[in-house]
Amino acid sequence: PGWKVIGVSDFFDSQVDEDLVSSKSLHGFTINTFWPGKSDDWQSQVDASLKSVNFVEVSREKGNTKSYPIGTTAVARVDDQKLLFVALSKADSQNNVTTSSVEELVCAVRGALRKARAVCSLEPLSIPLMGSGLARIGANPSVLTDLILAAVLEEARISKIRNEITIVLPVALKHRINLRHYQERWS
């Protein structure tokens, strides 16, 4: 229930073609699942959400040409799904390979939380373990979890965000991440 955060590249591409957007990424999975054959609707919502945001025009062979700053967040809805798409990584304009850094992860989480504060009312918010896949940050899942939690705490110090924020971890990491450790350190 509630709102979900999805990391995307700075171009907010909608074409799930294994080049611009991978179907194995959460971004690609979300478009294929909730906008099957209707990625133009997703793109229209994202473009409308970003219409007042500054961008840099970049020459690319395919895909969107507007590059937005890391942390820029767009809103898109379909059926009962409410989603925040945040620029987490930079896509190379020549080969479309995405990369990010620890600093950019923190910036992206904080950007998503600022948008959540503005649009989500008091509904729950879910943040996945961002940075572990095609963002290519290169940090282990425990470090990424710490960084996401630190960004949440930093942004929450400024002003309340939500009553409930859930960090969603992949089931495959169940034995690699000690949740009791987080409960002791962060509660």
Side-chain angles (χ1 to χ4, degrees), residues 84-115:
L84 299 173
F85 292 88
V86 62
L88 167 65
S89 58
K90 292 273 187 192
D92 184 295
S93 62
Q94 301 301 310
N95 62 17
N96 302 314
V97 171
T98 56
T99 56
S100 194
S101 67
V102 165
E103 181 180 3
E104 290 168 327
L105 170 63
V106 172
C107 183
V109 172
R110 292 189 74 180
L113 294 173
R114 283 190 294 276
K115 181 61 92 171

Side-chain angles (χ1 to χ4, degrees), residues 9 29 41-42 54 72 79 82 87 97 100 104 106 117 126 129 138 163 168 175 178:
S9 82
F29 174 82
D41 176 50
W42 178 85
N54 291 331
T72 300
D79 300 325
K82 298 175 225 169
V97 171
S100 194
E104 290 168 327
V106 172
R117 188 182 290 122
S126 297
L129 181 64
N163 285 336
V168 180
H175 299 293
N178 182 349

Side-chain angles (χ1 to χ4, degrees), residues 14-71:
S14 61
Q15 188 175 342
V16 183
D17 64 353
E18 308 313 323
D19 183 24
L20 293 175
V21 179
S22 170
S23 62
K24 293 177 177 38
S25 69
L26 190 53
H27 176 192
F29 174 82
T30 301
I31 289 176
N32 284 343
T33 301
F34 300 117
W35 285 273
K38 298 184 284 181
S39 62
D40 56 332
D41 176 50
W42 178 85
Q43 191 70 64
S44 293
Q45 289 186 57
V46 167
D47 291 345
S49 183
L50 299 176
K51 70 180 173 195
S52 64
V53 179
N54 291 331
F55 60 88
V56 174
E57 192 76 32
V58 177
S59 175
R60 296 171 82 195
E61 286 189 29
K62 68 178 185 175
N64 295 334
T65 57
K66 295 176 182 175
S67 171
Y68 292 90
I70 298 297

Side-chain angles (χ1 to χ4, degrees), residues 117-167:
R117 188 182 290 122
V119 301
C120 299
S121 300
L122 291 176
E123 295 182 68
L125 177 67
S126 297
I127 303 172
L129 181 64
M130 295 193 300
S132 61
L134 295 175
R136 296 175 178 86
I137 292 176
N140 74 47
S142 294
V143 170
L144 293 173
T145 304
D146 275 336
L147 291 167
I148 292 168
L149 287 169
V152 169
L153 290 177
E154 279 293 305
E155 199 58 39
R157 282 185 3 185
I158 295 169
S159 178
K160 184 176 181 174
I161 304 160
R162 306 271 67 75
N163 285 336
E164 179 183 330
I165 297 175
T166 302
I167 309 295

